[in-house]
Amino acid sequence: MSKSISGFSKLSKRGKLRWLVENFFKDPENVMREMKSYWLSNEEEQKILDGFSENTISNFYLPFGVAPNFVINDNTYAIPMVIEESSVVAAASSAAKFWMTRGGFRAKVISTKKVGQVHFTWEGDANKLEEAFENLKKKMTADATEITKNMVARGGGVQDIQLINYTGVEKHYYQIKVNFETCDSMGANFINSVLESYAESLRSFVAIQDNFTPEEKEVTIIMSILSNYTPECLVRAWVECPVKDLGVFSNDIDAVTFAKKFCTAVRIAHIDQYRATTHNKGIFNGIDAVVLATGNDFRAIEACGHTYASQDGHYRSLSNCKVEDGVFKFWLDIPLSIGTVGGLTKLHPIAKRSLEMLGNPSAEELMMIIATTGLAQNFAALRSLVTTGIQQGHMKMHLGNILNHMEATEQEKEKACTHFEEKAVSFNAVREFLDSLRVKKTSDSSSILKN
Ligand code: HMG
């Protein structure tokens, strides 16, 4: 038996699974059966899922949850969330319910610019390239018409093209930086196709410039690719209400004290990178869950968000808070390059339903929904942190997982849920409680036997 293989990708799905279980598992037949039990019974739907990536052998399930009561710009949404972590959906729902009676959330899209780059090296007189650039732009635009015409018809396309001279930092390195409007699509394939066409135009353009030396008639294209950093594809979500309307919080914390502690907590996340990372992770708990549920690319969203959080050279909170003239204001600015058409959005059966649940939003509307979920999540987490502490709510939701981990029976689970209603949940506390139940059961049954 060998743990390496040539031609794995050419095997059938069953063949791949067979090879895998026989080489990496002690009980191949059981594992084979188990992996296959997660295949969809509808073969056509399974084929669609298998087509999303490569070497698929089974499906990996994640919970699909819903956070209701989100009032955003006076519209009410039930928000789909795909996430494996307990208490996130509950926290989002609870923040939505809280703000529903305080005017709801507000959101607006600030800009929708996407970015792509052709990176190249060229050995020559930079002035000549800069002088020729207007003509090069015309050629690039004309050569790419076939690729851009549909997007232009939808109201999008290429917005502007710049030449950037980086030779001061890297010998002979230039960049063509392009801004795009991709309407309701995330636009990755469109952008990359345009950039590859531009790279080809650049190559042929320099070759026929009469005033270029033989050396200048050659260009080395290093790569042509979109940038996932889209600081100008930006959305703002916010909440505000008079401080007094915030109400009273757990442990009898009044509104003024709450607002003060809450704003300080946000400021700490602007000052300290250790705190900022956890703070922003809380924001992405909400954002990633909606991004996943709607078939968008959460890696791109996270990478962009974290770069944006460090735009001044220091990693900071993505959210902000202030109290001004007795009004509590909490807001989040975040770049979100997402789509509601293309990619998996209509191919993944549940992503399609998620979008339907949201009323088939435009990309701009979805940007606002996603940013709001991030803000709600951040609000709920901070509210817990500055009042009860995080463990009370989080562990309450996590109780089910601990009970499953300890293989509790349905009866034991029921008793544990009642027992922990007013008590702090921890792994040890649950173990002790289950042990006490089990000891009691053994002693009860032995006394029955004796009698
Ligand atoms: P609670 O006050 O005990 O909840 O809060 P409740 O039982 O009074 O219910 C109020 C509402 O909360 C409910 O309204 C639901 O909307 C929601 P209703 O449906 O009854 O009309 N809710 C639930 N929704 C679904 N399933 C449930 C459920 N329970 C309540 N089982 C809660 C409990 C967990 C909401 C609260 O303690 C909370 O918001 N905690 C914060 C939890 C959190 O942030 N979790 C994220 C994971 S921790 C993390 O990774 C991020 C972090 O490190 C980030 C950071 O440091 O900034 C914290």
Side-chain angles (χ1 to χ4, degrees):
M1 276 204 280
S2 162
K3 297 222 179 219
S4 58
I5 180 173
S6 167
F8 182 72
S9 66
K10 312 287 183 306
L11 296 178
S12 68
K13 184 169 168 177
R14 273 194 171 72
K16 287 183 182 109
L17 187 51
R18 167 68 51 205
W19 178 83
L20 192 86
V21 296
E22 282 176 357
N23 286 285
F24 290 86
F25 291 90
K26 290 194 186 79
D27 51 350
E29 291 316 317
N30 272 340
V31 179
M32 183 97 186
R33 211 171 305 117
E34 192 184 327
M35 289 287 186
K36 279 167 72 177
S37 75
Y38 294 109
W39 291 4
L40 297 182
S41 54
N42 181 325
E43 280 183 31
E44 283 312 304
E45 284 176 3
Q46 184 58 61
K47 269 194 196 142
I48 293 175
L49 281 194
D50 288 342
F52 292 163
S53 65
E54 302 77 35
N55 288 347
T56 48
I57 52 160
S58 191
N59 301 312
F60 184 100
Y61 289 90
L62 283 177
F64 177 70
V66 174
N69 300 323
F70 265 87
V71 176
I72 309 171
N73 296 340
D74 302 322
N75 297 313
T76 305
Y77 299 89
I79 296 189
M81 299 179 78
V82 171
I83 188 149
E84 83 299 347
E85 187 175 1
S86 50
S87 85
V88 170
V89 177
S93 311
S94 133
K97 194 173 168 190
F98 180 92
W99 284 104
M100 187 172 62
T101 53
R102 290 166 177 82
F105 295 89
R106 297 271 141 199
K108 71 170 178 194
V109 170
I110 295 166
S111 49
T112 55
K113 222 180 256 180
K114 317 274 169 73
V115 180
Q117 299 159 305
V118 178
H119 305 270
F120 65 98
T121 54
W122 183 74
E123 295 182 34
D125 176 355
N127 291 328
K128 281 194 199 168
L129 193 59
E130 274 153 25
E131 273 160 27
F133 190 58
E134 273 312 306
N135 286 337
L136 170 60
K137 263 200 316 200
K138 283 186 194 136
K139 177 170 171 53
M140 290 193 298
T141 307
D143 291 351
T145 313
E146 262 312 297
I147 306 170
T148 54
K149 68 177 187 210
N150 287 345
M151 192 61 86
V152 170
R154 279 180 223 117
V158 173
Q159 291 182 322
D160 69 285
I161 311 172
Q162 282 171 273
L163 174 70
I164 303 177
N165 181 340
Y166 271 117
T167 54
V169 278
E170 171 76 23
K171 229 174 167 189
H172 313 309
Y173 167 43
Y174 295 85
Q175 183 189 109
I176 291 173
K177 186 170 177 230
V178 190
N179 287 328
F180 297 87
E181 168 57 59
T182 59
C183 305
D184 281 337
S185 67
M186 189 229 178
N189 285 332
F190 168 73
I191 293 174
N192 290 336
S193 301
V194 172
L195 294 171
E196 288 187 6
S197 164
Y198 282 8
E200 207 37 59
S201 304
L202 169 65
R203 208 193 313 265
S204 53
F205 179 84
V206 295
I208 54 162
Q209 296 309 299
D210 292 339
N211 64 335
F212 280 21
T213 63
E215 209 173 37
E216 288 170 341
K217 287 187 185 207
E218 293 210 358
V219 61
T220 304
I221 305 295
I222 305 293
M223 57 193 159
S224 311
I225 186 77
L226 92 170
S227 169
N228 285 122
Y229 186 43
T230 53
E232 288 182 89
C233 188
L234 193 66
V235 53
R236 170 171 293 181
W238 71 96
V239 282
E240 60 182 306
C241 75
V243 170
K244 64 177 172 38
D245 291 353
L246 287 169
V248 179
F249 294 83
S250 301
N251 300 341
D252 276 341
I253 296 179
D254 63 59
V256 173
T257 311
F258 172 81
K260 204 168 162 198
K261 280 184 85 175
F262 192 100
C263 285
T264 308
V266 176
R267 279 200 304 279
I268 289 169
H270 276 271
I271 295 165
D272 179 72
Q273 299 186 10
Y274 287 90
R275 177 56 206 150
T277 306
T278 318
H279 178 97
N280 289 344
K281 184 272 184 191
I283 293 172
F284 281 106
N285 275 342
I287 288 184
D288 284 357
V290 191
V291 169
L292 257 175
T294 55
N296 276 287
D297 180 345
F298 64 92
R299 286 89 53 212
I301 295 294
E302 284 247 6
C304 180
H306 295 303
T307 311
Y308 190 73
S310 0
Q311 59 182 320
D312 70 359
H314 184 100
Y315 187 85
R316 299 182 192 280
S317 161
L318 286 162
S319 62
N320 297 281
C321 186
K322 67 176 173 189
V323 172
E324 208 171 55
D325 301 328
V327 175
F328 172 85
K329 290 185 185 168
F330 179 46
W331 73 99
L332 168 70
D333 287 345
I334 187 154
L336 291 175
S337 172
I338 48 90
T340 53
V341 296
L344 292 197
T345 55
K346 296 285 184 311
L347 272 181
H348 192 291
I350 303 198
K352 197 167 140 191
R353 291 292 180 206
S354 294
L355 289 166
E356 193 180 338
M357 193 193 299
L358 294 170
N360 289 319
S362 64
E364 290 198 17
E365 191 181 352
L366 185 58
M367 284 168 79
M368 295 192 271
I369 293 168
I370 295 172
T372 300
T373 315
L375 183 76
Q377 202 63 50
N378 194 209
F379 177 80
L382 291 181
R383 180 183 57 184
S384 288
L385 287 169
V386 303
T387 56
T388 56
I390 199 70
Q391 286 306 77
Q392 193 185 91
H394 182 63
M395 292 308 277
K396 193 166 121 188
M397 305 292 127
H398 197 49
L399 176 60
N401 291 336
I402 301 177
L403 288 167
N404 283 337
H405 182 85
M406 293 179 182
E407 295 177 354
T409 63
E410 285 310 312
Q411 239 182 356
E412 287 172 337
K413 283 180 190 170
E414 220 170 275
K415 286 185 177 152
C417 287
T418 314
H419 175 82
F420 283 103
E421 237 160 44
E422 301 296 330
K423 292 192 178 62
V425 178
S426 72
F427 214 80
N428 275 344
V430 177
R431 191 195 304 280
E432 275 168 22
F433 177 73
L434 285 182
D435 285 348
S436 72
L437 281 186
R438 288 166 185 173
V439 166
K440 190 167 176 290
K441 203 172 161 201
T442 324
S443 65
D444 284 353
S445 48
S446 56
S447 61
I448 289 169
L449 279 180
K450 269 187 207 153
N451 293 335

